[in-house]
Amino acid sequence: MRFDVVTLFPAIFDGYLTQSLLDKAIVRGLVEIQRHNLRDWAEDTPHRKVDDRPFGGGPGMLLQVEPTVTCVRDVDAMCDVPARKILLTPQGRRLDQRLAEDLATSDRIMLMCGRYEGFDQRVLDILQPEEISIGDFVLNGGEVAAMTIIDAVVRLLPGVLGDEQSSLDDSFSRGNRMLEFPQYTRPREFEGHTVPDVLLSGDHAAIAKWRAEQSRVKTIDRRRDLLPENSKPNHEHPNQRS
Ligand SMILES: NC(=O)c1ccno1
């Protein structure tokens, strides 16, 4: 898979791209990440200007349509595979595991990172990107949201995690859509806190049963909305938080 990131601050990604999981995936050729500085498409070369004041007044600046559309079209043409264009914005569809799984089926994704007050509306009208949000809050730019999408998607690519099962057991994963069961490792006891006996039993059927129940209880307690319709309890669960 290839990611193309359009941003005014490509250096923001420097440390991120060298972190272990992503670095290994890049080195192994499982993913490619190209960064493109929108300012390289600025018309006004001395100042490399790509933003201007909003018509009708209002605070801040907007990213202009001409450099943005030209940049996106040029970046798209850099590779034979057309890019799935995604614009990061608080107004977009909320990112969740299902969407991450869908994105992971794409061969190429372009992530358009806004800054200031965002893009001129004609960028959206002309390019028709998918708009995705990572949550109901406002960031200073789309770069953190872009890294979030890259992180959530790359780990789902075949071969990246090494043990496919470890992504399938995650909370929200296609395996069960529920919250993950509690996990334990050595030591067996710490400050009086011990590991559940069933996990030490070697009885894989009992362990699987315990884990499924733990997932269900935790999901009922915290995220009843994730439960399949046919398994929603019709009473207040004793652990249900108000
Ligand atoms: N909430 C978001 O995804 C976002 C993207 C850019 N600014 O905020």
mmCIF file of all heavy atoms in Angstrom, residues 70-101:
data_model
loop_
_atom_site.group_PDB
_atom_site.id
_atom_site.type_symbol
_atom_site.label_atom_id
_atom_site.label_comp_id
_atom_site.label_asym_id
_atom_site.label_seq_id
_atom_site.Cartn_x
_atom_site.Cartn_y
_atom_site.Cartn_z
ATOM 1 N N THR A 70 -4.109 21.773 -7.832
ATOM 2 C CA THR A 70 -2.966 21.440 -8.701
ATOM 3 C C THR A 70 -2.055 20.423 -8.031
ATOM 4 O O THR A 70 -1.624 19.440 -8.647
ATOM 5 C CB THR A 70 -2.169 22.719 -9.031
ATOM 6 O OG1 THR A 70 -3.055 23.698 -9.567
ATOM 7 C CG2 THR A 70 -1.064 22.423 -10.046
ATOM 8 N N CYS A 71 -1.810 20.636 -6.750
ATOM 9 C CA CYS A 71 -0.954 19.707 -5.989
ATOM 10 C C CYS A 71 -1.562 18.315 -5.985
ATOM 11 O O CYS A 71 -0.906 17.323 -6.323
ATOM 12 C CB CYS A 71 -0.797 20.226 -4.567
ATOM 13 S SG CYS A 71 -0.087 19.043 -3.406
ATOM 14 N N VAL A 72 -2.829 18.212 -5.627
ATOM 15 C CA VAL A 72 -3.474 16.894 -5.512
ATOM 16 C C VAL A 72 -3.473 16.187 -6.856
ATOM 17 O O VAL A 72 -3.191 14.984 -6.960
ATOM 18 C CB VAL A 72 -4.895 17.043 -4.938
ATOM 19 C CG1 VAL A 72 -5.680 15.748 -5.068
ATOM 20 C CG2 VAL A 72 -4.827 17.485 -3.477
ATOM 21 N N ARG A 73 -3.767 16.925 -7.931
ATOM 22 C CA ARG A 73 -3.782 16.295 -9.265
ATOM 23 C C ARG A 73 -2.377 15.839 -9.664
ATOM 24 O O ARG A 73 -2.206 14.710 -10.168
ATOM 25 C CB ARG A 73 -4.315 17.285 -10.292
ATOM 26 C CG ARG A 73 -5.832 17.475 -10.226
ATOM 27 C CD ARG A 73 -6.303 18.590 -11.118
ATOM 28 N NE ARG A 73 -7.780 18.701 -11.145
ATOM 29 C CZ ARG A 73 -8.431 19.789 -11.579
ATOM 30 N NH1 ARG A 73 -7.728 20.861 -12.003
ATOM 31 N NH2 ARG A 73 -9.747 19.824 -11.577
ATOM 32 N N ASP A 74 -1.369 16.642 -9.357
ATOM 33 C CA ASP A 74 0.013 16.260 -9.689
ATOM 34 C C ASP A 74 0.452 15.033 -8.882
ATOM 35 O O ASP A 74 1.066 14.109 -9.418
ATOM 36 C CB ASP A 74 0.977 17.425 -9.405
ATOM 37 C CG ASP A 74 0.860 18.553 -10.430
ATOM 38 O OD1 ASP A 74 0.115 18.357 -11.422
ATOM 39 O OD2 ASP A 74 1.492 19.614 -10.225
ATOM 40 N N VAL A 75 0.126 15.049 -7.596
ATOM 41 C CA VAL A 75 0.516 13.912 -6.742
ATOM 42 C C VAL A 75 -0.204 12.650 -7.211
ATOM 43 O O VAL A 75 0.400 11.581 -7.336
ATOM 44 C CB VAL A 75 0.198 14.216 -5.263
ATOM 45 C CG1 VAL A 75 0.344 12.956 -4.401
ATOM 46 C CG2 VAL A 75 1.106 15.330 -4.748
ATOM 47 N N ASP A 76 -1.477 12.792 -7.545
ATOM 48 C CA ASP A 76 -2.243 11.628 -8.006
ATOM 49 C C ASP A 76 -1.584 11.025 -9.249
ATOM 50 O O ASP A 76 -1.478 9.809 -9.397
ATOM 51 C CB ASP A 76 -3.680 12.068 -8.322
ATOM 52 C CG ASP A 76 -4.661 10.905 -8.216
ATOM 53 O OD1 ASP A 76 -4.234 9.796 -7.846
ATOM 54 O OD2 ASP A 76 -5.857 11.098 -8.509
ATOM 55 N N ALA A 77 -1.065 11.895 -10.098
ATOM 56 C CA ALA A 77 -0.481 11.439 -11.373
ATOM 57 C C ALA A 77 0.922 10.863 -11.218
ATOM 58 O O ALA A 77 1.485 10.310 -12.167
ATOM 59 C CB ALA A 77 -0.450 12.610 -12.358
ATOM 60 N N MET A 78 1.484 10.944 -10.013
ATOM 61 C CA MET A 78 2.853 10.446 -9.802
ATOM 62 C C MET A 78 2.944 8.922 -9.824
ATOM 63 O O MET A 78 4.018 8.337 -9.825
ATOM 64 C CB MET A 78 3.394 10.968 -8.465
ATOM 65 C CG MET A 78 3.688 12.436 -8.447
ATOM 66 S SD MET A 78 4.229 12.966 -6.784
ATOM 67 C CE MET A 78 4.392 14.735 -7.065
ATOM 68 N N CYS A 79 1.767 8.313 -9.781
ATOM 69 C CA CYS A 79 1.756 6.846 -9.699
ATOM 70 C C CYS A 79 0.574 6.350 -10.536
ATOM 71 O O CYS A 79 -0.481 6.992 -10.568
ATOM 72 C CB CYS A 79 1.611 6.482 -8.221
ATOM 73 S SG CYS A 79 1.181 4.800 -7.874
ATOM 74 N N ASP A 80 0.726 5.223 -11.204
ATOM 75 C CA ASP A 80 -0.342 4.718 -12.080
ATOM 76 C C ASP A 80 -1.616 4.388 -11.305
ATOM 77 O O ASP A 80 -2.712 4.474 -11.824
ATOM 78 C CB ASP A 80 0.138 3.451 -12.817
ATOM 79 C CG ASP A 80 1.273 3.778 -13.799
ATOM 80 O OD1 ASP A 80 1.388 4.992 -14.153
ATOM 81 O OD2 ASP A 80 2.043 2.874 -14.142
ATOM 82 N N VAL A 81 -1.425 4.005 -10.055
ATOM 83 C CA VAL A 81 -2.597 3.609 -9.255
ATOM 84 C C VAL A 81 -3.309 4.873 -8.757
ATOM 85 O O VAL A 81 -2.702 5.695 -8.071
ATOM 86 C CB VAL A 81 -2.158 2.770 -8.043
ATOM 87 C CG1 VAL A 81 -3.363 2.380 -7.190
ATOM 88 C CG2 VAL A 81 -1.398 1.526 -8.506
ATOM 89 N N PRO A 82 -4.575 5.067 -9.123
ATOM 90 C CA PRO A 82 -5.281 6.252 -8.631
ATOM 91 C C PRO A 82 -5.427 6.211 -7.109
ATOM 92 O O PRO A 82 -5.586 5.126 -6.536
ATOM 93 C CB PRO A 82 -6.654 6.176 -9.316
ATOM 94 C CG PRO A 82 -6.798 4.769 -9.778
ATOM 95 C CD PRO A 82 -5.413 4.209 -9.976
ATOM 96 N N ALA A 83 -5.312 7.381 -6.497
ATOM 97 C CA ALA A 83 -5.345 7.428 -5.018
ATOM 98 C C ALA A 83 -6.768 7.621 -4.516
ATOM 99 O O ALA A 83 -7.550 8.385 -5.089
ATOM 100 C CB ALA A 83 -4.455 8.551 -4.518
ATOM 101 N N ARG A 84 -7.100 6.948 -3.435
ATOM 102 C CA ARG A 84 -8.327 7.196 -2.678
ATOM 103 C C ARG A 84 -8.047 8.461 -1.870
ATOM 104 O O ARG A 84 -7.195 8.463 -0.998
ATOM 105 C CB ARG A 84 -8.622 6.016 -1.764
ATOM 106 C CG ARG A 84 -9.878 6.130 -0.939
ATOM 107 C CD ARG A 84 -10.162 4.814 -0.223
ATOM 108 N NE ARG A 84 -11.359 4.903 0.606
ATOM 109 C CZ ARG A 84 -11.891 3.855 1.266
ATOM 110 N NH1 ARG A 84 -11.288 2.666 1.195
ATOM 111 N NH2 ARG A 84 -12.981 4.006 2.000
ATOM 112 N N LYS A 85 -8.768 9.552 -2.211
ATOM 113 C CA LYS A 85 -8.459 10.853 -1.605
ATOM 114 C C LYS A 85 -9.242 11.044 -0.316
ATOM 115 O O LYS A 85 -10.472 10.917 -0.289
ATOM 116 C CB LYS A 85 -8.782 11.979 -2.593
ATOM 117 C CG LYS A 85 -7.966 11.890 -3.890
ATOM 118 C CD LYS A 85 -8.356 13.006 -4.829
ATOM 119 C CE LYS A 85 -7.720 12.805 -6.198
ATOM 120 N NZ LYS A 85 -8.203 11.544 -6.848
ATOM 121 N N ILE A 86 -8.523 11.379 0.729
ATOM 122 C CA ILE A 86 -9.136 11.573 2.043
ATOM 123 C C ILE A 86 -8.700 12.912 2.609
ATOM 124 O O ILE A 86 -7.514 13.215 2.641
ATOM 125 C CB ILE A 86 -8.739 10.439 2.999
ATOM 126 C CG1 ILE A 86 -9.375 9.118 2.527
ATOM 127 C CG2 ILE A 86 -9.156 10.746 4.441
ATOM 128 C CD1 ILE A 86 -8.902 7.913 3.252
ATOM 129 N N LEU A 87 -9.684 13.720 3.009
ATOM 130 C CA LEU A 87 -9.401 15.003 3.635
ATOM 131 C C LEU A 87 -9.711 14.901 5.119
ATOM 132 O O LEU A 87 -10.807 14.433 5.487
ATOM 133 C CB LEU A 87 -10.269 16.089 2.968
ATOM 134 C CG LEU A 87 -9.982 17.532 3.332
ATOM 135 C CD1 LEU A 87 -10.307 18.461 2.161
ATOM 136 C CD2 LEU A 87 -10.747 17.968 4.573
ATOM 137 N N LEU A 88 -8.758 15.256 5.955
ATOM 138 C CA LEU A 88 -8.936 15.147 7.399
ATOM 139 C C LEU A 88 -9.632 16.398 7.916
ATOM 140 O O LEU A 88 -9.130 17.506 7.732
ATOM 141 C CB LEU A 88 -7.591 14.959 8.102
ATOM 142 C CG LEU A 88 -6.861 13.633 7.888
ATOM 143 C CD1 LEU A 88 -7.772 12.452 8.064
ATOM 144 C CD2 LEU A 88 -6.126 13.590 6.557
ATOM 145 N N THR A 89 -10.764 16.218 8.570
ATOM 146 C CA THR A 89 -11.551 17.353 9.044
ATOM 147 C C THR A 89 -12.472 16.909 10.170
ATOM 148 O O THR A 89 -12.984 15.792 10.147
ATOM 149 C CB THR A 89 -12.399 17.945 7.912
ATOM 150 O OG1 THR A 89 -13.334 18.872 8.444
ATOM 151 C CG2 THR A 89 -13.155 16.877 7.148
ATOM 152 N N PRO A 90 -12.738 17.795 11.153
ATOM 153 C CA PRO A 90 -13.691 17.440 12.219
ATOM 154 C C PRO A 90 -15.103 17.193 11.685
ATOM 155 O O PRO A 90 -15.939 16.605 12.335
ATOM 156 C CB PRO A 90 -13.674 18.683 13.130
ATOM 157 C CG PRO A 90 -12.511 19.488 12.715
ATOM 158 C CD PRO A 90 -12.182 19.127 11.306
ATOM 159 N N GLN A 91 -15.357 17.643 10.455
ATOM 160 C CA GLN A 91 -16.701 17.495 9.876
ATOM 161 C C GLN A 91 -16.881 16.169 9.144
ATOM 162 O O GLN A 91 -17.935 15.932 8.532
ATOM 163 C CB GLN A 91 -16.955 18.661 8.903
ATOM 164 C CG GLN A 91 -16.857 20.027 9.574
ATOM 165 C CD GLN A 91 -16.771 21.140 8.555
ATOM 166 O OE1 GLN A 91 -17.572 21.205 7.621
ATOM 167 N NE2 GLN A 91 -15.797 22.010 8.720
ATOM 168 N N GLY A 92 -15.845 15.334 9.184
ATOM 169 C CA GLY A 92 -15.908 14.109 8.385
ATOM 170 C C GLY A 92 -16.566 12.943 9.087
ATOM 171 O O GLY A 92 -16.966 13.017 10.256
ATOM 172 N N ARG A 93 -16.654 11.839 8.349
ATOM 173 C CA ARG A 93 -17.135 10.577 8.915
ATOM 174 C C ARG A 93 -16.176 10.151 10.006
ATOM 175 O O ARG A 93 -14.969 10.211 9.839
ATOM 176 C CB ARG A 93 -17.197 9.512 7.806
ATOM 177 C CG ARG A 93 -17.519 8.114 8.304
ATOM 178 C CD ARG A 93 -17.459 7.080 7.192
ATOM 179 N NE ARG A 93 -17.597 5.726 7.743
ATOM 180 C CZ ARG A 93 -17.421 4.605 7.025
ATOM 181 N NH1 ARG A 93 -17.114 4.697 5.718
ATOM 182 N NH2 ARG A 93 -17.556 3.417 7.577
ATOM 183 N N ARG A 94 -16.687 9.689 11.136
ATOM 184 C CA ARG A 94 -15.842 9.316 12.268
ATOM 185 C C ARG A 94 -15.059 8.042 11.954
ATOM 186 O O ARG A 94 -15.634 7.035 11.540
ATOM 187 C CB ARG A 94 -16.711 9.094 13.500
ATOM 188 C CG ARG A 94 -15.935 8.669 14.713
ATOM 189 C CD ARG A 94 -15.217 9.813 15.355
ATOM 190 N NE ARG A 94 -16.171 10.706 16.005
ATOM 191 C CZ ARG A 94 -16.654 10.500 17.229
ATOM 192 N NH1 ARG A 94 -16.256 9.447 17.921
ATOM 193 N NH2 ARG A 94 -17.507 11.337 17.757
ATOM 194 N N LEU A 95 -13.763 8.081 12.162
ATOM 195 C CA LEU A 95 -12.920 6.895 11.970
ATOM 196 C C LEU A 95 -13.258 5.852 13.032
ATOM 197 O O LEU A 95 -13.368 6.180 14.212
ATOM 198 C CB LEU A 95 -11.443 7.266 12.077
ATOM 199 C CG LEU A 95 -10.447 6.117 11.941
ATOM 200 C CD1 LEU A 95 -10.431 5.569 10.522
ATOM 201 C CD2 LEU A 95 -9.032 6.581 12.367
ATOM 202 N N ASP A 96 -13.477 4.620 12.578
ATOM 203 C CA ASP A 96 -13.598 3.514 13.543
ATOM 204 C C ASP A 96 -12.929 2.295 12.917
ATOM 205 O O ASP A 96 -12.381 2.356 11.820
ATOM 206 C CB ASP A 96 -15.065 3.244 13.907
ATOM 207 C CG ASP A 96 -15.905 2.854 12.703
ATOM 208 O OD1 ASP A 96 -15.317 2.542 11.632
ATOM 209 O OD2 ASP A 96 -17.142 2.885 12.802
ATOM 210 N N GLN A 97 -12.971 1.165 13.617
ATOM 211 C CA GLN A 97 -12.217 -0.003 13.147
ATOM 212 C C GLN A 97 -12.751 -0.510 11.821
ATOM 213 O O GLN A 97 -11.995 -0.932 10.956
ATOM 214 C CB GLN A 97 -12.263 -1.119 14.201
ATOM 215 C CG GLN A 97 -11.217 -2.208 13.994
ATOM 216 C CD GLN A 97 -9.780 -1.739 14.128
ATOM 217 O OE1 GLN A 97 -9.514 -0.676 14.683
ATOM 218 N NE2 GLN A 97 -8.859 -2.489 13.576
ATOM 219 N N ARG A 98 -14.067 -0.427 11.639
ATOM 220 C CA ARG A 98 -14.635 -0.878 10.353
ATOM 221 C C ARG A 98 -14.074 -0.035 9.206
ATOM 222 O O ARG A 98 -13.674 -0.553 8.161
ATOM 223 C CB ARG A 98 -16.156 -0.738 10.371
ATOM 224 C CG ARG A 98 -16.904 -1.758 11.208
ATOM 225 C CD ARG A 98 -18.419 -1.494 11.130
ATOM 226 N NE ARG A 98 -19.147 -2.140 12.216
ATOM 227 C CZ ARG A 98 -19.547 -3.406 12.197
ATOM 228 N NH1 ARG A 98 -19.286 -4.140 11.144
ATOM 229 N NH2 ARG A 98 -20.184 -3.939 13.218
ATOM 230 N N LEU A 99 -14.020 1.261 9.420
ATOM 231 C CA LEU A 99 -13.509 2.153 8.365
ATOM 232 C C LEU A 99 -12.020 1.883 8.155
ATOM 233 O O LEU A 99 -11.541 1.837 7.025
ATOM 234 C CB LEU A 99 -13.758 3.613 8.723
ATOM 235 C CG LEU A 99 -13.281 4.674 7.709
ATOM 236 C CD1 LEU A 99 -13.760 4.360 6.308
ATOM 237 C CD2 LEU A 99 -13.738 6.074 8.148
ATOM 238 N N ALA A 100 -11.292 1.661 9.237
ATOM 239 C CA ALA A 100 -9.858 1.344 9.109
ATOM 240 C C ALA A 100 -9.667 0.069 8.304
ATOM 241 O O ALA A 100 -8.808 -0.012 7.414
ATOM 242 C CB ALA A 100 -9.222 1.199 10.484
ATOM 243 N N GLU A 101 -10.518 -0.930 8.563
ATOM 244 C CA GLU A 101 -10.425 -2.192 7.805
ATOM 245 C C GLU A 101 -10.735 -1.955 6.329
ATOM 246 O O GLU A 101 -10.103 -2.532 5.452
ATOM 247 C CB GLU A 101 -11.375 -3.229 8.418
ATOM 248 C CG GLU A 101 -10.901 -3.745 9.771
ATOM 249 C CD GLU A 101 -12.000 -4.429 10.564
ATOM 250 O OE1 GLU A 101 -13.135 -4.527 10.060
ATOM 251 O OE2 GLU A 101 -11.728 -4.862 11.701
#
